[in-house]
Amino acid sequence: MTTVTVRTPAKINLGLNVGRPRPDGYHPLATVYQAIALYDEVKARPAQPGEFTVSVTGEGQDVVPLDDTNLAVRAARLLAKRAKVNEGVALSIHKLIAVAGGLAGGSSDAAAALLACDALWGLHSSREELTGLAAELGSDVPFCLIGGNAIGTGRGEVVSSVLARGSYEWVLAYASTGLSTPEVFAEFDRLDAVRADEEPEVPEVLMSALRTGDPYAVGMALHNDLQPATIRLRPAIRRTIEFGEDFGALGSVVAGSGPTCLFLTADSEHAIDLAVALSSSGVCRLVQRANGPVPGARVVT
Ligand code: C5P
């Protein structure tokens, strides 16, 4: 029986600048994405026409919905509808990416489901077609298809790759429970109520740091406008960040809408040392290491 397997990376935001909400409720963003080598695996197997199922193992398996609200199922249904095919699919997802952790885990699974079903059903959709569907599914989904280093504008769904140097060694500290993205944006609005209306811009200092490939410069340029809001909702994040900084991380930042904390290290040895220290510190639930950038979702069988 045919099975298509797709490996799909977590995303992090090296810079995330957020503007005032638009009339549709979304916030305009200027962000610098990086895909990192922390992967979920999505398998697609044939099913009866109209039958769409999903099973989940691994990180967060008890909190991922298994019904039609699952983003990977929505991706499969959307592709079938737009391609006008009478197909079904049985998806199975093995997760390493934290659920509701600010790492686009669900978005990445959706990107993978698009690719997997496209291959399973022999559709040969173009990149543009898949990216268009990805943008309908969520703001981070197009980037998860593309990967690497990229700038995201609009609500995050308008993605263009950037030329950058270097490979970066990250340590990720997972929190015990996730955060809801809309809740974090709502808290951002409350905190940001007095800020003047301005279009968010990609910080030049981060872009030039990425062009040099110097992890020290990139570490200093990490920035997330949502960080104060995530700390308001989860004050414990502050302790995690402080622990990593005291241990000599080159830079630290909350991942996307949090609550995962990211630390940039000088090399793999430094990353191992920090990961070991964080693991025994009691300031987080779980520690992961990953380097980036890596490509986006890819069929591996
Ligand atoms: O696009 P996505 O479905 O992943 O977004 C989830 C939620 O996060 C949105 O419903 C919205 O509340 C918030 N969001 C936002 N501005 C963005 C992206 C997401 O307010 N640019």
Side-chain angles (χ1 to χ4, degrees), residues 16-24 26-31 152-158 188 192 195-204 223 225:
L16 178 54
N17 288 11
V18 181
R20 287 284 186 79
R22 316 187 303 200
D24 65 2
Y26 282 93
H27 293 70
L29 305 182
T31 189
T153 54
R155 59 184 165 84
E157 89 286 17
V158 183
F188 169 84
D192 196 53
R195 195 162 84 158
D197 265 316
E198 53 190 47
E199 276 302 302
E201 284 179 12
V202 174
E204 186 42 43
H223 173 76
D225 270 352

Side-chain angles (χ1 to χ4, degrees), residues 226-250:
L226 294 177
Q227 189 155 321
T230 60
I231 291 177
R232 272 285 286 256
L233 295 170
R234 283 292 161 74
I237 288 174
R238 197 190 298 274
R239 247 183 2 119
T240 314
I241 292 277
E242 278 169 9
F243 185 94
E245 286 181 350
D246 291 347
F247 202 84
L250 307 186

Side-chain angles (χ1 to χ4, degrees), residues 104-128:
S107 300
S108 203
D109 297 344
L114 285 177
L115 275 187
C117 292
D118 186 71
L120 185 72
W121 300 335
L123 300 177
H124 305 290
S125 307
S126 66
R127 270 271 138 181
E128 291 68 31

